[in-house]
Amino acid sequence: MQALYAQLLVGLINGSFYALLSLGLAVIFGMLNIINFAHGALYMMGAFVAYFLLNLGGISYWWALLLAPIIVGIFGMILERTMLKFLTGLDHLYGLLLTFGIALIVQGVFQNFFGSSGLPYAIPDQLKGGMNLGFMFLPIYRGWVVIFSLVVCLATWFLIEKTRLGAYLRAATENPTLVRAFGINVPRMITLTYGLGVGLAALAGVLSAPINQVRPLMGADLIIVVFAVVVIGGMGSIMGSIITGFALGVIEGLTKYFYPEASNTVVFVLMVLVLLVKPTGLTGRAA
Amino acid sequence: MKKSIASLLLGTALAVTTAGAAFAQDKTVKIGALSDQSGLYADLGGPGSTLAAQMAVEDSGLAAKGWKIDIISGDHQNKPDIGTAIARQWFDVDKVDIIVDVPNSGVALAVNNVVKEKNGVYINSGAATSDLTNAQCSPNTVHWTYDTYMLAHTTGQALVKAGGDTWFFLTADYAFGAALERDTTAVITANGGKVVGGVKHPLNTPDFSSFLLQAQASKAKIIGLANAGGDTTNTIKQAAEFGIVKGGQKLAALLLFLTDVKAIGLETAQGLNFTETFYWDMNDQTRAFSKRFSEKMKNGAMPTMVQAGVYAGVRHYLKALDGLGGNPHDGVKVVEKMKSMPTEDDLFGKGEIQPNGRTIHNAYLFEVKKPSESKGPWDFYKLVGTVPGDQAFTPLSESKCALLKK
């Protein structure tokens, strides 16, 4: 029984990465209608930027949490301005192909220079060590990841669903012409939204750097699972992706305990089952 | 009528002699370096293995003697079907004579069958499974650098003898993990130890925390890592996070490469014991080779034992071809020649290739240095012990290879 609690908690930790990443995807899809396949590569860039900040500039993990999402977010906004904006009004497939190509190029460039086995990034001193919870040894850093991601997820949800800025954003995607008539710069809002989604991916990258190796393919390995999470949760639904992210982390953790060989596929089995019953995903609205 | 028969005979005779002449002078060789070029084993083999093969060709000096030796490379993506498809195309279309490297035991065993079918030469350096020279041995195959039997009988044995008598395995769920767990379990039980449990994890798993918690709960003295590359680095890093070593359990990295230690960092990797058959900083010859190699690598990496094995294997292969005077296209004949000559090179020293295709050379037990002991970016290992080749690898009396029963 104790082991089961431990697996639940571990699942929740992985779930926080799924939630952060799928949240960014949901924001981008919901606002821009782009299926952002470059998300994994941008997540990887977040981890690499944190590594560079520390090793080249001596800038700590704490600053990296702020700076890496901004730097990668700016890179994302440049992508949006120079390439993605031409996709407005086109079929989803074009966005998917373009961002997939971008991901391959970015990953290829990093792999060329840094190899595939990755670079070490230490856990910050303040978060080293762990606590004995009785049923498991919880590394403090992992606990921090869960709490921090929860806060970020809820803040993002609040920003989009409950503030005036969020209302503009949602309105701009519903009816850009009308919103423009009110004197709001819609293209700039779209660019900022893409930057926000990308920033969330980069933030997840910084969070994951001390746990996983900083590797060029770290995003490629994760992105497929995250897409399954988004599909199960319902494309574009903010709260749906947060809840599904955490829930699937837990389900995957339990699979690792009961039948480890299936842990890489359980998410996809679930995806098939959900789509059979409810093609729009658990919380998705019909198109 | 008589005249025409005579001319026909003459013509045939002529054709046979000219064909024979072409046969003897055929000095065109094509080498295929088949590896994981972009996945979790790309740094330990990958582009570095292709470079090692190129260096072996350059150092052989055969080009100056009029030989034409080309190298092509391929990415098997750790998938046996892709590996065999490339191998087949190489033999059928590209006229490749020899395939080298092939890390990932699953792919390696699949390619083994193709090479045998096409009568090519196969020098495997990257794969670990001892089955390549045991149950699935082939007259076309030479297994160069290391194998699961050797890893089990060096690292595994040393740890059991040092008191690690209860084990829990974290095993990569494919041919390599299964072979390494099997061979190590045999050593543990033979030395009076016991395996108390284990989990099989999918290849290329980013998060090991669930598995590590199970290992922790098992209370086994040793947690044996029957995985490799990115899987091993992630396991070791996350084990440190969960305080496994501090809690009194010991990690046995049954297979660890130089590039893995680089990726983990000395801070976390220090004190790990493991076995390799090559380390760049062993002597003047290995240092000289490694320096040349590193200068040609994009990220300045030193060679791993897999890449060193590709170099040594190709050097020995070319020596054998030189001895035969040409004709690289009959794989069995070339491999027989390779087995008949003792191996000797700057990287692995003196050795031999056994009739089952297993190359025998020294194996070394290493310990990862503390950060304070390391003097440079690749100064990682302390030599703990040397195991002579005849003790490290499967004794012929135990080998299940069919080639030995002739």
Side-chain angles (χ1 to χ4, degrees), chain A residues 6-7 10 14 111-121 123 136-137 139 142 209-213 217 221 253 256-257 260-261 263-264, chain B residues 38-40 42-43 173 199-200 202-207 209-211 213-214 216 233-234 237-238 241-243 259 262-265 298-299:
Chain A
Q7 298 298 344
V10 163
N14 281 339
Q111 201 157 32
N112 196 27
F113 287 104
F114 304 103
S116 62
S117 48
L119 305 161
Y121 189 92
I123 294 175
M136 77 175 282
F137 178 91
R142 301 235 171 191
I211 302 183
N212 301 304
Q213 294 297 113
L217 291 183
D221 297 339
K256 279 182 179 166
Y257 180 68
E261 289 90 336
S263 56
N264 273 13
Chain B
S38 55
L40 77 172
D43 278 0
D173 192 14
V199 284
K200 291 197 172 12
L203 179 67
N204 206 5
T205 298
D207 184 72
S209 41
S210 289
F211 308 129
L213 285 177
Q214 293 174 51
Q216 211 166 19
T233 54
N234 272 334
K237 203 171 169 185
Q238 289 164 12
E241 218 190 312
F242 279 87
T259 42
K262 175 83 174 168
I264 301 166
K298 257 192 208 92
N299 53 2

Side-chain angles (χ1 to χ4, degrees), chain B residues 187-223:
Chain B
V187 171
I188 295 166
T189 41
N191 286 279
K194 202 178 140 198
V195 178
V196 295
V199 284
K200 291 197 172 12
H201 68 78
L203 179 67
N204 206 5
T205 298
D207 184 72
F208 282 88
S209 41
S210 289
F211 308 129
L212 287 167
L213 285 177
Q214 293 174 51
Q216 211 166 19
S218 76
K219 305 262 192 296
K221 283 186 193 160
I222 307 264
I223 300 173

Side-chain angles (χ1 to χ4, degrees), chain B residues 13-334:
Chain B
L14 260 176
V16 168
T17 36
T18 44
F23 212 54
Q25 285 165 1
D26 191 348
K27 294 185 172 175
T28 317
V29 186
K30 201 155 191 185
I31 301 173
L34 183 57
S35 196
D36 171 5
Q37 303 284 2
S38 55
L40 77 172
Y41 301 148
D43 278 0
L44 60 93
S49 287
T50 315
L51 172 63
Q54 266 158 4
M55 288 173 70
V57 171
E58 284 159 21
D59 294 355
S60 73
L62 286 185
K65 292 188 191 170
W67 289 67
K68 187 178 175 308
I69 306 169
D70 288 324
I71 299 175
I72 54 175
S73 67
D75 184 2
H76 63 49
Q77 299 173 35
N78 293 306
K79 296 184 177 97
D81 52 336
I82 295 183
T84 47
I86 294 175
R88 277 179 198 287
Q89 188 192 322
W90 278 359
F91 284 116
D92 294 342
V93 182
D94 300 307
K95 304 295 171 205
V96 157
D97 301 296
I98 165 174
I99 292 184
V100 295
D101 198 14
V102 201
N104 186 317
S105 296
V107 184
L109 289 169
V111 169
N112 193 37
N113 291 328
V114 178
V115 180
K116 190 175 172 185
E117 182 192 319
K118 304 286 181 190
N119 193 22
V121 177
Y122 186 26
I123 301 182
N124 188 297
S125 178
T129 177
S130 57
D131 290 346
L132 270 178
T133 53
N134 264 306
Q136 303 201 38
C137 72
S138 141
N140 302 74
T141 299
V142 174
H143 196 185
W144 199 277
T145 313
Y146 69 107
D147 66 25
T148 49
Y149 181 96
M150 179 278 263
L151 297 171
H153 282 77
T154 46
T155 315
Q157 192 155 318
L159 286 166
V160 182
K161 284 194 171 154
D165 53 1
T166 49
W167 284 60
F168 184 95
F169 277 105
L170 287 183
T171 305
D173 192 14
Y174 73 107
F176 151 68
L180 187 50
E181 185 180 332
R182 177 196 66 204
D183 290 351
T184 313
T185 303
V187 171
I188 295 166
T189 41
N191 286 279
K194 202 178 140 198
V195 178
V196 295
V199 284
K200 291 197 172 12
H201 68 78
L203 179 67
N204 206 5
T205 298
D207 184 72
F208 282 88
S209 41
S210 289
F211 308 129
L212 287 167
L213 285 177
Q214 293 174 51
Q216 211 166 19
S218 76
K219 305 262 192 296
K221 283 186 193 160
I222 307 264
I223 300 173
L225 310 184
N227 51 23
D231 282 338
T232 308
T233 54
N234 272 334
T235 320
I236 293 172
K237 203 171 169 185
Q238 289 164 12
E241 218 190 312
F242 279 87
I244 289 209
V245 178
K246 279 191 187 136
Q249 287 172 303
K250 209 171 165 148
L251 286 183
L254 293 164
L255 179 52
L256 195 68
F257 297 95
L258 188 73
T259 42
D260 297 336
V261 177
K262 175 83 174 168
I264 301 166
L266 290 186
E267 185 64 45
T268 310
Q270 57 181 311
L272 279 171
N273 286 299
F274 58 96
T275 308
E276 293 218 56
T277 51
F278 168 85
Y279 176 49
W280 69 270
D281 200 11
M282 291 294 281
N283 54 47
D284 288 343
Q285 287 94 334
T286 56
R287 279 188 285 272
F289 167 80
S290 305
K291 192 165 168 281
R292 278 199 298 140
F293 178 92
S294 162
E295 279 162 4
K296 291 180 182 171
M297 283 293 278
K298 257 192 208 92
N299 53 2
M302 286 293 182
T304 62
M305 69 165 164
V306 169
Q307 291 152 349
V310 170
Y311 175 85
V314 174
R315 279 301 298 270
H316 188 70
Y317 166 78
L318 293 174
K319 253 188 236 171
L321 281 189
D322 198 17
L324 287 169
N327 181 29
H329 311 307
D330 182 351
V332 172
K333 200 172 154 196
V334 178

Side-chain angles (χ1 to χ4, degrees), chain A residues 187-198:
Chain A
R188 185 183 295 163
M189 285 195 79
I190 301 260
T191 309
L192 284 173
T193 311
Y194 191 73
L196 171 74
V198 169

